[in-house]
Amino acid sequence: MNFLFRGIWASVLATSSMTLALFNRFTKLPASQQKPLPPAQLTQNIAKKTGLAEKMGPQMQEQATMFSHYGYGLACGVLYSYLATKVPGPAMVKGGLFGLGVWAASYYGLIPGMNLKPSAKDMARERNIMMAASHVVWGAALGYSEEALRRKGKEMLAAGQRRSSLKDLV
């Protein structure tokens, strides 16, 4: 399985893990911090800036949020998959550090650089901790999944090829 497909599949698994971690941690935030999660806020902000907000009902807003959240995770997951074999170390550690880097680059660089909200500076400490930790979860799950797909994918394909070549002999 090439890095593109590994990155796609690993990112789906990782983004699902991250989303569940966010949902879980969100309920533990102080009541004053329980407003829409950053992916929803970003999607709303982009929709307003592009003039799409008026055309989006609540269901479309939710779908757009999940689509953009998984899409961004997918793009970063493919990048990780490309880099994973070039950097030594345990997959979950590399992935966790990559996830923390994605959080920092996004919430301190890309988001404020594009004049979007919320940046890390716009969020309370508790929400920043929640977002940083969920990105570590994402990265660790990404690292684990990408490595498992790389190793097990080869084994499964090799087993399939062995069975096919045995059929050819009979």
Side-chain angles (χ1 to χ4, degrees):
M1 186 180 305
N2 70 29
F3 81 90
L4 180 65
F5 289 111
R6 280 194 321 270
I8 290 169
W9 293 119
S11 73
V12 169
L13 296 167
T15 305
S16 297
S17 298
M18 175 191 193
T19 303
L20 293 173
L22 278 172
F23 290 167
N24 182 39
R25 184 64 187 126
F26 177 79
T27 62
K28 294 171 179 62
L29 288 173
S32 63
Q33 295 295 318
Q34 291 188 6
K35 52 189 172 190
L37 289 168
Q41 291 176 311
L42 279 166
T43 303
Q44 289 170 344
N45 193 246
I46 292 168
K48 285 178 186 172
K49 287 182 181 269
T50 58
L52 294 173
E54 306 82 41
K55 299 172 185 156
M56 295 174 72
Q59 185 177 6
M60 184 176 269
Q61 173 69 36
E62 184 179 314
Q63 291 169 348
T65 296
M66 294 308 278
F67 182 80
S68 63
H69 185 57
Y70 275 82
Y72 192 68
L74 189 141
C76 293
V78 168
L79 175 62
Y80 175 83
S81 184
Y82 177 75
L83 298 172
T85 58
K86 296 168 180 18
V87 178
M92 290 180 70
V93 173
K94 290 190 302 187
L97 291 172
F98 183 80
L100 195 57
V102 167
W103 169 75
S106 299
Y107 285 89
Y108 282 100
L110 184 63
I111 292 167
M114 295 177 70
N115 201 27
L116 296 171
K117 296 200 182 282
S119 71
K121 293 176 185 175
D122 299 322
M123 288 189 277
R125 183 176 177 271
E126 294 89 354
R127 285 177 73 90
N128 269 316
I129 291 169
M130 174 186 70
M131 292 307 295
S134 68
H135 279 80
V136 171
V137 167
W138 173 81
L142 179 67
Y144 177 85
S145 300
E146 193 278 337
E147 182 179 55
L149 288 167
R150 184 169 13 95
R151 290 184 181 199
K152 297 296 181 186
K154 285 181 183 178
E155 290 173 20
M156 288 186 301
L157 289 175
Q161 290 171 351
R162 282 194 301 270
R163 278 194 299 275
S164 293
S165 57
L166 288 175
K167 281 182 182 179
D168 293 341
L169 294 174
V170 179

